[in-house]
Amino acid sequence: MPYRRPAETGRWAAEPPAPRDRGGADELLIGVDFGTTHSSIAACVDGKLRAVHDGGEARVPTVAYVPRAGALDIGRTALHRAVAEPQATALGIKRLLGRPLDGPGVAALRAGSIHRLVAGPDGSALVVLRGEPWSPVQLAAAVLRHLVERASAQLGDHVRGAVLTAPVTAPRSYHAALMRAAELAGLEVRRFVAEPVAAAIATSRGLRAGGLVMICDFGGGTFDAAVVEARDGIRASGCDGDDLLGGDDFDVALAEGVAGAVYRRHRVDLHRDVTAWGRLRLHCEQVKRQLSAAAEAHLLIRDAYAADGRHQDVDVWIDRPWAEGRWAALAARAAAVARRLLDRLGLEARDLDEVVLVGGTGRIPLVGRVLGEHLGRDVTVPADVDLGVVHGAAMVGTQLAARVAA
Ligand SMILES: Nc1ncnc2c1ncn2[C@@H]1O[C@H](COP(=O)(O)OP(=O)(O)OP(=O)(O)O)[C@@H](O)[C@H]1O
Ligand SMILES: [Mg+2]
């Protein structure tokens, strides 16, 4: 089956196809969600969606740790190393995939990045880990290989053909880089599906015929929106997004605020020290999550930096209003993307049956509030649809395989 570029439109059955009596002749096409923060693989096996697990978790942190010697460590154990050794731990690789170091948006990424970035021989952005440059493709391939090995073991089949997902506005170079990483991990890419369309396929199963839904997926690195219609399956009416807007930017916004206070007090610029800045960002990520459920959160980083001839802690309480002040512009940017999509499609928010907000960043109360205000209607934040994108990709994979076998 030839590889085809993104399926942002197209029609997909709203249910996983029933198992067919083909004596196992259909090829197993897995769905792959390579995310900024988490990655996952799923497949439809005997008509049931099955996510691949790693240590009991269906979503593997998109994190690679470079040890002093030996193979890369991937996933949760790598993430646990990050706070102590941010200079040896690759995070947020996705946003660098396929981007030249001097490309649009990279200057802003660079300013907030946990890593030092350098240009490769072809100008592409490389991540410096333990003093050595690493290509994002190499690191993405290692994360995917980790998942593919588990998929092959758990799905009882040698996994090869795959449907990949990509942010709506990702450049062509992103697709090419992710495809290269997937190939290095032993996969054959059969199709790309836009991430919010994949999420919509999996989450809009109960939609009434003719119903219209907007799905907004706000993840760690990207904001994506799709409007889908239930007409003979799920049909995508249109998509839009911002592939340089995600939860990472909310972490950076908090970290910038704290770094500013440290600078005013001690004239120490935390950006200049990769380890200090990395630790600050990772702690701010924790604080951000806590603030989704609590009015304030404690940011405590022991020996965060040196000043006045001794180690200094960062020890502050951060409250929601302060954080929301730093996040307001980011939330408004996402809401403006959703509004633009409706305008382009000639739709009013009241034409929609539902606006659904998924993705980890959608859990920030401010985000749902601002989106609702911009659209002038309620926004649904489902409790647990973290696997929507990968399930949708798996459903597309099964339908493609069935079409080819038919
Ligand atoms: N309770 C929470 N409150 C606020 N932010 C959260 C919460 N839980 C997770 N996040 C944030 O959500 C982001 C991860 O979301 P998600 O797992 O949907 O992203 P992803 O799919 O890996 O990324 P993307 O789709 O953008 O490539 C991270 O920035 C994380 O800090
Ligand atoms: Mg995602």
Side-chain angles (χ1 to χ4, degrees), residues 29-100:
L29 286 191
I30 57 165
V32 179
D33 175 15
F34 182 74
T36 311
T37 314
H38 299 102
S39 296
S40 44
I41 285 182
C44 285
V45 180
D46 297 333
K48 287 205 174 65
L49 286 164
R50 275 185 61 186
V52 168
H53 285 254
D54 180 28
E57 301 277 340
R59 305 177 80 227
V60 173
T62 310
V63 182
Y65 170 76
V66 180
R68 284 187 198 287
L72 295 184
D73 193 4
I74 304 295
R76 188 138 316 270
T77 48
L79 182 61
H80 288 151
R81 309 258 195 179
V83 174
E85 295 181 87
Q87 77 289 354
T89 315
L91 293 133
I93 312 156
K94 174 172 174 176
R95 295 218 283 196
L96 297 171
L97 267 181
R99 286 189 198 276

Side-chain angles (χ1 to χ4, degrees), residues 50-326:
R50 275 185 61 186
V52 168
H53 285 254
D54 180 28
E57 301 277 340
R59 305 177 80 227
V60 173
T62 310
V63 182
Y65 170 76
V66 180
R68 284 187 198 287
L72 295 184
D73 193 4
I74 304 295
R76 188 138 316 270
T77 48
L79 182 61
H80 288 151
R81 309 258 195 179
V83 174
E85 295 181 87
Q87 77 289 354
T89 315
L91 293 133
I93 312 156
K94 174 172 174 176
R95 295 218 283 196
L96 297 171
L97 267 181
R99 286 189 198 276
L101 191 63
D102 61 359
V106 181
L109 277 186
R110 213 172 167 179
S113 176
I114 288 183
H115 311 292
R116 199 157 70 76
L117 305 179
V118 294
D122 60 353
S124 62
L126 303 181
V127 183
V128 178
L129 298 167
R130 241 184 240 294
E132 296 291 328
W134 288 76
S135 90
V137 169
Q138 220 180 344
L139 295 164
V143 173
L144 290 174
R145 198 176 303 114
H146 181 87
L147 273 162
V148 168
E149 281 166 7
R150 277 144 193 83
S152 294
Q154 291 167 33
L155 298 175
D157 204 340
H158 181 67
V159 163
R160 183 171 288 277
V163 171
L164 263 54
T165 56
V168 173
T169 50
R172 278 191 92 89
S173 55
Y174 174 82
H175 294 88
L178 183 58
M179 198 153 111
R180 177 82 192 114
E183 284 165 2
L184 288 171
L187 294 175
E188 272 174 24
V189 180
R190 301 297 169 74
R191 181 71 66 106
F192 274 98
V193 182
E195 287 173 13
V197 174
I201 291 167
T203 57
S204 303
R205 291 194 220 161
L207 190 59
R208 67 176 175 89
L212 275 174
V213 167
M214 176 183 255
I215 303 274
C216 296
D217 180 2
F218 209 167
T222 63
F223 176 78
D224 288 298
V227 172
V228 297
E229 187 178 0
R231 199 188 327 145
D232 194 13
I234 299 296
R235 219 171 55 86
S237 308
C239 303
D240 207 339
D242 185 335
D243 60 327
L244 289 173
L245 175 63
D248 284 5
D249 302 301
F250 288 68
D251 307 343
V252 171
L254 289 187
E256 293 288 5
V258 175
V262 166
Y263 186 77
R264 285 190 293 279
R265 181 154 176 228
H266 281 129
R267 297 284 147 198
V268 172
D269 181 0
L270 294 182
H271 295 91
R272 289 177 177 277
D273 177 341
V274 175
T275 303
W277 176 249
R279 288 181 71 205
L280 174 60
R281 262 200 55 179
L282 290 161
H283 277 89
C284 284
E285 197 264 345
Q286 296 295 325
V287 162
K288 173 187 72 174
R289 285 175 190 249
Q290 288 166 31
L291 287 174
S292 292
E296 55 180 3
H298 191 194
L299 174 65
L300 175 63
I301 313 175
R302 296 268 178 232
D303 300 339
Y305 58 97
D308 297 340
R310 64 183 185 88
H311 291 302
Q312 304 282 344
D313 298 340
V314 168
D315 185 356
V316 285
W317 281 87
I318 293 183
D319 63 22
R320 233 194 230 178
W322 185 83
E324 290 188 345
R326 305 207 62 86

